[in-house]
Amino acid sequence: MDRNTLIGIVLTLLGGILWGFSGICAQFIQQQRGITPEWLLVVRLLSAGIVTVLYVFFRMRGTMFRIFKSPKDTVKLLVFGILGMALCQYSYFRSIFYAGAGIATVLQYLAPAMIIIYMSVVHRVKPSWGEGISVLLATVGTALIALHGDFSKLNINEAVLFWGLLSAVAVAIYSVQPVQILRTYGTGPVVGLAMMAGGILAYGAWPLHEVPGTWDMWTFGALFGIVILGTVVSFNAYLEGVRRIGAVRGSVLSSIEPISAALLGWLVLGNTFVTSDMIGFVMILSTIFILANEKKAN
């Protein structure tokens, strides 16, 4: 395996692991501390956007805002920020709010299949055998972990189905749509500015007139996990990985997220594993080796 591919795989996995941690934090902060999805979305995007933009600005200086010299790429940036960043996070928070992180994660990880269909229809790019098998393994493995093998839980109401499928569409958008501008302008500037754009739009829809919920050290800790680890670090890592290995492979490997959430739930919350969880772990982890070996063979 070449170095670029290895780095891409590691970064994508890091993004997925941190998203799993962020999902647990989001469920806790909404269901246990009364923080609304709208408030969380605005604070997450604006805070993470400001942190990322400032960091990249002091590193890159004059090249930070180079994308605005191209009207076409500026539009792509805004589409990414609104339909990718903001829509993905809000729809995911909404599905967590209605049904918890398990169901929300299952629905969101229909995204790899959507990406393959999109690439096949629009770009006439057929998935490789490894990509096809990996999508199937990742989807079933995610469902096994999130539902603990009880597929009767998939009898969900229309609101959960709507927001969950919408989050999958948004994941597909932010995995495919920004690849060209990521390669042209770099991951940091694109991600930071897109977060700012999505955050400003969200603030226009839901101004922060008051702070909801109950606040203690656990609330602040969970918010740090969501904003810094689960947004600034995770999105930059994932999208840099996608830039290196492509949208299909990136979206499949990010299905490490439910494993991360399950293990953290075991460590922090004392959750237990059942046989179906272990089978799901093996199915998802096997996709890493399938995709890595296929890339090596090519």
Side-chain angles (χ1 to χ4, degrees), residues 175-190:
S175 296
V176 175
Q177 188 267 344
V179 170
Q180 179 266 315
I181 55 176
L182 287 170
R183 288 173 177 165
T184 303
Y185 302 101
T187 302
V190 172

Side-chain angles (χ1 to χ4, degrees), residues 133-153:
I133 292 173
S134 295
V135 166
L136 179 61
L137 289 171
T139 303
V140 176
T142 298
L144 286 172
I145 295 169
L147 303 177
H148 301 295
D150 183 5
F151 285 89
S152 65
K153 294 179 181 178

Side-chain angles (χ1 to χ4, degrees), residues 60 76 78 97 152 154 195-196 205 209 213 229 235-236 242 247 249 254 295-296:
M60 301 178 63
K76 290 181 180 180
L78 294 175
F97 180 79
S152 65
L154 283 176
M195 286 178 178
M196 289 289 292
H209 295 307
L229 299 179
F235 274 93
N236 279 280
V242 166
R249 287 184 170 90
S254 69
K295 186 72 177 180
K296 183 178 180 180

Side-chain angles (χ1 to χ4, degrees), residues 18-63:
L18 292 178
W19 279 334
F21 175 66
S22 176
I24 287 181
C25 291
Q27 182 171 345
F28 166 78
I29 209 172
Q30 289 182 101
Q31 296 184 351
Q32 302 297 322
R33 292 297 184 268
I35 305 300
T36 63
E38 292 80 10
W39 188 91
L40 186 57
L41 175 70
V42 174
V43 170
R44 181 182 193 181
L45 285 176
L46 285 179
S47 300
I50 291 171
V51 169
T52 303
V53 166
L54 288 176
Y55 173 74
V56 176
F57 176 77
F58 285 111
R59 284 191 59 203
M60 301 178 63
R61 298 290 180 175
T63 61

Side-chain angles (χ1 to χ4, degrees), residues 38-217:
E38 292 80 10
W39 188 91
L40 186 57
L41 175 70
V42 174
V43 170
R44 181 182 193 181
L45 285 176
L46 285 179
S47 300
I50 291 171
V51 169
T52 303
V53 166
L54 288 176
Y55 173 74
V56 176
F57 176 77
F58 285 111
R59 284 191 59 203
M60 301 178 63
R61 298 290 180 175
T63 61
M64 173 73 208
F65 303 105
R66 186 164 55 96
I67 191 171
F68 293 120
K69 295 180 180 180
S70 169
K72 182 180 178 180
D73 288 343
T74 300
V75 171
K76 290 181 180 180
L77 175 70
L78 294 175
V79 170
F80 173 46
I82 296 169
L83 297 183
M85 287 286 183
L87 181 62
C88 169
Q89 294 181 53
Y90 182 64
S91 56
Y92 184 55
F93 286 155
R94 266 291 163 194
S95 55
I96 287 177
F97 180 79
Y98 284 119
I103 298 294
T105 301
V106 170
L107 293 173
Q108 189 178 68
Y109 275 90
L110 294 174
M114 292 181 179
I115 292 172
I116 279 186
I117 293 171
Y118 171 83
M119 298 295 286
S120 299
V121 173
V122 176
H123 297 288
R124 300 185 183 279
V125 177
K126 293 183 179 180
S128 66
W129 70 269
E131 290 172 346
I133 292 173
S134 295
V135 166
L136 179 61
L137 289 171
T139 303
V140 176
T142 298
L144 286 172
I145 295 169
L147 303 177
H148 301 295
D150 183 5
F151 285 89
S152 65
K153 294 179 181 178
L154 283 176
N155 184 22
I156 53 183
N157 64 46
E158 293 178 357
V160 176
L161 189 63
F162 172 79
W163 289 111
L165 290 177
L166 190 60
S167 70
V169 171
V171 169
I173 291 173
Y174 80 63
S175 296
V176 175
Q177 188 267 344
V179 170
Q180 179 266 315
I181 55 176
L182 287 170
R183 288 173 177 165
T184 303
Y185 302 101
T187 302
V190 172
V191 172
L193 293 170
M195 286 178 178
M196 289 289 292
I200 291 170
L201 176 69
Y203 180 80
W206 303 290
L208 301 180
H209 295 307
E210 59 183 31
V211 179
T214 303
W215 288 84
D216 55 22
M217 61 176 290

